[in-house]
Amino acid sequence: MRLLLVEDTFDMAEAIMIRLDRSGIACDLAKTLEEARSLLDVQRYDVIVLDLNLPDGLGTDLLKELRQKSDRTPVLVLTAEFSVDDRVSTLNSGADDYLVKPFDYRELEARIQALYRREQGDKAEELAIGDLTFNATARVVRLKEAQVNLTRREFSLLELFIRNRGKVLSKERLFEGIFSFQDTDVSMNALELYVARLRKKLSGSSVVIETQRGLGYKLEVHD
Amino acid sequence: MRLLLVEDTFDMAEAIMIRLDRSGIACDLAKTLEEARSLLDVQRYDVIVLDLNLPDGLGTDLLKELRQKSDRTPVLVLTAEFSVDDRVSTLNSGADDYLVKPFDYRELEARIQALYRREQGDKAEELAIGDLTFNATARVVRLKEAQVNLTRREFSLLELFIRNRGKVLSKERLFEGIFSFQDTDVSMNALELYVARLRKKLSGSSVVIETQRGLGYKLEVHD
DNA sequence: CAAACCCTGTCACCAACCTGTCACCGGCTG
DNA sequence: CAGCCGGTGACAGGTTGGTGACAGGGTTTG
């Protein structure tokens, strides 16, 4: 795990870093918002631990910038004191969790791990194929950022192709994949039609459904 | 929240269910261990409230079975009398909390809520989603400062959506979340109606419930 | 205790959109 | 070049979801 710690108090930062290092968490330190920004420009982090009070501004400002850029990196906010209002505004800025100083380092680590796990769990569901992003849980397909709206059948079909990318899939196999066995009266032409519709919706993508005459179809990634 | 109550005394069970229902907790009732087992086979619960003395055995037996299967659902044990030995053996069986009859229903509810909160790992009890603030404990929802008045069912529904934001939730899943299984005669249209009502109350928010035809609904945050 | 109010869930009807057939076309293959 | 396989536009149901109106039941208030 790669972590960015934004904290200006040296003792605090050192104590945290030693502890995290011991747990095998690679930890970069930024003492100001400025430093944090330059690090974030060149490096992706799995988790950010952000102190609220920094010499050159508020942690929440950085947080808002990130979310503005739709960077969803999990952020844990550290703060000295915390009124109910602070709490609300911090969470509103897009923080995922917060911890009030002084805190127990074990708790900090536990929460960092929790955020990391959540993040990884979400990501596992995202498949990237060429310039396509496929998320089975959210049932979302994106083509270069833009969302592609697929119907149920189209989605099932694409899912089949993606899970077997590179393999030739027979029409029968595909048919069984998207129609239930009750649909005995549906013609094979329906499948061809769905392939056509999918192709149209995915046109402009590096992902292409190739026809294998007499055999079936195959999903290929071109460049 | 979805709760399983295992209790054979009818009066007691009814009193508890009415109370919990009023707080928006979808509550299933099992009068025997047998019934409880079949319900647990088909349904996940957030909390289980378990009477110790049941016609077909001891509540602790069920509890041990669960823990054996490494099911960590929080369990609150209800019992008529309680020696120190009982207490120890109950907790050893894997109970998370217990309550001695007669008890105050408010206390029961508070403890159930506490177990639920702990389970959800929700130390930050205020959830911020887009321009919405959601407080499960206080049962308050705010849209850009202004309070949104939601009914019991509307609140349960929103809670489900928020705890699974981004994921597609099937109508069945949502239905089970807001109705108890005794409500077999309620039509699926009721759920659609609640979605419509929620949408109306949340109109103008960045949080939107999207329809996934044939699949269910999904909560999305737009900008 | 009645009146007013609100929450619930049903019904009916409408709108949107998904679906699969048909028909016809075009290109491969032998 | 004939035959076949696959591609695709148009269209007609059919399914699914949305929503206004309403009735029943419960709760609050005067």
Side-chain angles (χ1 to χ4, degrees), chain B residues 151-153 179 185-187 189-190 193-194 197 213:
Chain B
T151 71
R152 205 167 19 135
R153 298 253 135 114
F179 297 100
D185 46 347
V186 178
S187 82
N189 185 225
L193 187 56
Y194 278 110
R197 287 180 179 147
R213 270 197 162 242

Side-chain angles (χ1 to χ4, degrees), chain B residues 30-46:
Chain B
K31 291 202 202 57
T32 61
L33 290 180
E34 206 43 47
E35 279 180 45
R37 284 194 193 95
S38 17
L39 283 171
L40 283 164
D41 274 347
V42 295
Q43 173 73 45
R44 257 211 78 266
Y45 292 93
D46 296 309

Side-chain angles (χ1 to χ4, degrees), chain B residues 69-139:
Chain B
K69 290 186 283 185
S70 62
D71 180 332
R72 296 272 345 136
T73 308
V75 171
L76 190 155
V77 164
L78 295 180
T79 180
E81 57 242 79
F82 226 13
S83 70
V84 176
D85 281 353
D86 288 344
R87 199 167 304 191
V88 171
S89 75
T90 301
L91 291 174
N92 275 337
S93 309
D96 299 271
D97 201 354
Y98 57 79
L99 210 47
V100 179
K101 298 180 193 177
F103 50 82
D104 185 318
Y105 290 110
R106 280 168 304 184
E107 179 161 13
L108 174 63
E109 196 188 321
R111 299 219 183 172
I112 289 171
Q113 295 283 6
L115 286 178
Y116 180 56
R117 238 173 299 143
R118 202 214 294 171
E119 179 69 3
Q120 300 293 325
D122 209 23
K123 310 227 170 71
E125 30 193 81
E126 286 251 342
L127 290 173
I129 300 92
D131 51 11
L132 228 67
T133 316
F134 181 93
N135 188 324
T137 320
R139 300 195 78 77

Side-chain angles (χ1 to χ4, degrees), chain A residues 151-153 179 185-187 189 193-194 197:
Chain A
T151 73
R152 196 164 28 132
R153 296 255 139 110
F179 296 100
D185 47 348
V186 178
S187 81
N189 183 226
L193 185 55
Y194 278 111
R197 296 213 250 246

